Amino acid sequence: MVLNEALTPVTCQVHWIVNPVEKTFSGSCTWQVSINSPCDVVRCHAQGLELDAIKVAQYKKPQKLENIDRAEDGLLSLKVCEKMQEGRAEISFSFRGSIKGTVGVHFSGLESKVVQTHFEVSHGRKAFPCFDIPSIRATYKVSVTVLNSSSATTILSCMPAVCTRTKGTDLTVEFGVTPPIPVYVLSFITFPYEITTLSQEVTLPSGTVVPITASITPNPKYPLELLLKATAYGLATCSEWTGVEFPLPKLDVVVVPKLCLGGMENHGLVFIDGAETTPGKGKKVGNDSTIELLMHEIAHMWMGNMVGLEFWVKEGLAQFFEKTLTDGFLGRSCSLPTDTKFSSGPVEIEKKNKPKPKPKAKGKAKKGKGKAEEVVEEKKETDAIDHHDVFNGSMYTKSFLWVVGVERALGRQEFLKRLSDMLNANMDQYIPEELFMEVFGGEKF
């Protein structure tokens, strides 16, 4: 089941309250949405969360909830008694969840006290009620409170902090509003101790100055000077090659104790898995693969974050940039494969783990005063994207070779020109596969 096309998410104000001692989090969020045509159902996502105080209003007039349906994959349907008309509407929730696992809101490793998020591909729904589909973009105003904090507690998110306040031992940080982004690149991280951080300013081709930082937690070992220097090179060079300047007022790169993937391109807050920076198995500190990983995540600031793309497209482009940017930074010879032939067809994602239909299970939540009846029903269809479908070696290799083949066929200058034109024409929007193929593939070649 897809989300209703009659509704477009516009902006969200979300506040997380993190309790590392109790291994729980809670919070609230308020969505502003645009009603494009009359509708009486709002569909969004919330998985593994306790939800309270669900409210829908239009023009400050509360809409009575007739029914609430929740599916196992996180699809949440709110049916109101009267149809909402075209215009703006507001949807608000209170939520609670557990800090666990390796996605959603979780600890950075079993022994770590660092709390971080990982929302890619469709795990934002495990952290707060949201519209958890990569093609849907909205702006976010994030604030995070850490309970029982210390003077050394640090909180970071995608945008710069605009307000910090304390109440007893609780620390709250409010952050600036993001540009329109998909849920999967929204993030925050909290440290209960001081972290080692280096900072500098990067001057982009137009003269714009962007502050950047490189931070590392106590356990992983890595030369931060190299990481910071590589970050500065990646930002400046990507801005030059794409013809689009880095779109954010800052970039933080954090080497975290543990990550379920090697790196994560949270918008303005890149995570690098500490294991990727630790010598071992023939790997040296400061190795090429770590720099490539960093360049890969930096490239996503443009391809995937600033402009939305199909996963195989954004990953293929990021792999191309990770090689070429690292070649330039380290002064090494071209590391792109030389025997690639151009193929005009898109890369198909192989689905190895197809969900099996399960028997429907129905249950009723307790009915309280002023609360709608809640029905939990399993759905056969799911819009959740399986990690294994997207992040597998076959897809990565195919998408990378496809992009390299296109660049070989067009030549570097024409390839970058088309990419630049496409990014500039679709800033803060999602580009469907068909449009991308019109620019780079098909009959034109």
Side-chain angles (χ1 to χ4, degrees):
M1 183 179 291
V2 298
L3 302 187
N4 41 329
E5 297 179 355
L7 181 152
T8 302
V10 178
T11 187
C12 176
Q13 184 166 330
V14 55
H15 179 213
W16 279 284
I17 302 171
V18 180
N19 190 336
V21 176
E22 298 293 333
K23 299 182 180 179
T24 61
F25 66 91
S26 59
S28 61
C29 64
T30 300
W31 282 91
Q32 301 291 333
V33 300
S34 176
I35 306 297
N36 306 317
S37 59
C39 68
D40 59 1
V41 176
V42 173
R43 295 192 185 99
C44 57
H45 299 100
Q47 187 173 17
L49 299 172
E50 296 179 37
L51 301 181
D52 289 316
I54 302 175
K55 298 177 181 178
V56 179
Q58 188 169 36
Y59 302 119
K60 298 183 179 181
K61 178 184 177 182
Q63 300 292 309
K64 186 177 180 181
L65 284 169
E66 179 181 310
N67 201 57
I68 301 173
D69 288 346
R70 296 188 70 176
E72 199 173 69
D73 70 349
L75 185 64
L76 172 63
S77 298
L78 310 176
K79 189 176 190 314
V80 295
C81 294
E82 297 181 12
K83 280 192 174 184
M84 293 181 286
Q85 301 304 308
E86 292 182 12
R88 287 293 181 97
E90 183 176 284
I91 311 160
S92 60
F93 306 84
S94 293
F95 55 86
R96 294 183 300 277
S98 298
I99 303 173
K100 61 181 181 180
T102 58
V103 296
V105 181
H106 63 97
F107 287 107
S108 186
L110 295 176
E111 304 301 322
S112 174
K113 294 182 180 179
V114 174
V115 177
Q116 65 193 35
T117 62
H118 183 91
F119 295 165
E120 193 176 30
V121 179
S122 53
H123 299 297
R125 63 189 71 186
K126 297 174 182 176
F128 72 118
C130 59
F131 297 84
D132 197 13
I133 292 179
S135 60
I136 293 178
R137 307 172 76 83
T139 62
Y140 296 88
K141 171 70 173 175
V142 171
S143 59
V144 181
T145 296
V146 175
L147 302 183
N148 303 309
S149 64
S150 69
S151 59
T153 299
T154 303
I155 307 174
L156 300 174
S157 188
C158 300
M159 300 298 287
V162 296
C163 177
T164 300
R165 61 181 183 273
T166 57
K167 183 178 181 181
T169 59
D170 301 339
L171 172 67
T172 299
V173 180
E174 296 180 9
F175 300 91
V177 179
T178 72
I181 57 174
V183 171
Y184 77 87
V185 296
L186 187 67
S187 184
F188 71 84
I189 185 168
T190 74
F191 305 92
Y193 43 66
E194 292 184 359
I195 55 176
T196 304
T197 300
L198 295 180
S199 60
Q200 74 172 68
E201 293 182 335
V202 179
T203 302
L204 302 181
S206 70
T208 301
V209 176
V210 177
I212 62 172
T213 69
S215 303
I216 198 162
T217 50
N219 292 330
K221 306 298 181 184
Y222 196 81
L224 279 185
E225 297 85 356
L226 180 63
L227 204 65
L228 194 65
K229 186 177 179 181
T231 301
Y233 178 87
L235 284 191
T237 307
C238 263
S239 295
E240 179 183 354
W241 286 3
T242 62
V244 181
E245 292 212 328
F246 179 64
L248 295 175
K250 63 92 177 173
L251 176 63
D252 298 317
V253 176
V254 184
V255 181
V256 300
K258 186 64 179 174
L259 197 63
C260 66
L261 300 172
M264 180 58 211
E265 69 270 20
N266 305 308
H267 211 33
L269 181 61
V270 169
F271 291 165
I272 302 293
D273 183 9
E276 297 291 330
T277 68
T278 305
K281 297 182 180 180
K283 186 168 60 175
K284 298 179 180 179
V285 171
N287 62 86
D288 292 9
S289 64
T290 304
I291 300 299
E292 288 184 354
L293 177 60
L294 172 64
M295 296 302 186
H296 181 107
E297 309 308 339
I298 288 174
H300 276 314
M301 298 298 114
W302 283 261
M303 291 151 280
N305 295 11
M306 183 183 71
V307 174
L309 296 160
E310 287 285 326
F311 269 88
W312 76 264
V313 174
K314 78 179 186 73
E315 294 304 328
L317 289 169
Q319 288 177 91
F320 173 83
F321 273 80
E322 80 178 41
K323 295 293 185 183
T324 51
L325 288 172
T326 305
D327 290 346
F329 177 68
L330 297 179
R332 69 187 186 187
S333 57
C334 180
S335 59
L336 295 175
T338 58
D339 58 348
T340 303
K341 293 183 179 179
F342 171 69
S343 171
S344 62
V347 174
E348 295 292 337
I349 293 179
E350 297 177 5
K351 294 191 175 182
K352 296 182 180 180
N353 299 307
K354 295 181 180 179
K356 295 180 180 180
K358 297 180 181 179
K360 292 183 178 180
K362 294 185 178 180
K364 292 185 178 180
K366 293 182 179 179
K367 192 173 182 181
K369 185 178 180 180
K371 292 184 179 179
E373 180 180 79
E374 181 178 12
V375 179
V376 180
E377 179 180 347
E378 264 187 26
K379 309 288 184 181
K380 288 186 178 181
E381 297 181 32
T382 176
D383 60 6
I385 303 173
D386 194 293
H387 240 76
H388 301 287
D389 291 342
V390 176
F391 297 105
N392 63 73
S394 174
M395 187 279 288
Y396 265 65
T397 300
K398 288 179 180 179
S399 60
F400 174 49
L401 294 179
W402 191 93
V403 172
V404 173
V406 172
E407 189 262 353
R408 289 274 188 266
L410 293 175
R412 178 69 57 85
Q413 185 175 355
E414 178 63 20
F415 173 77
L416 291 178
K417 180 183 181 301
R418 293 191 186 192
L419 180 62
S420 175
D421 291 345
M422 184 183 70
L423 294 176
N424 273 291
N426 296 277
M427 201 85 67
D428 297 327
Q429 298 180 47
Y430 178 82
I431 300 177
E433 183 180 273
E434 295 76 16
L435 177 57
F436 178 81
M437 295 300 295
E438 285 180 12
V439 176
F440 287 101
E443 297 296 327
K444 292 182 178 179
F445 310 116

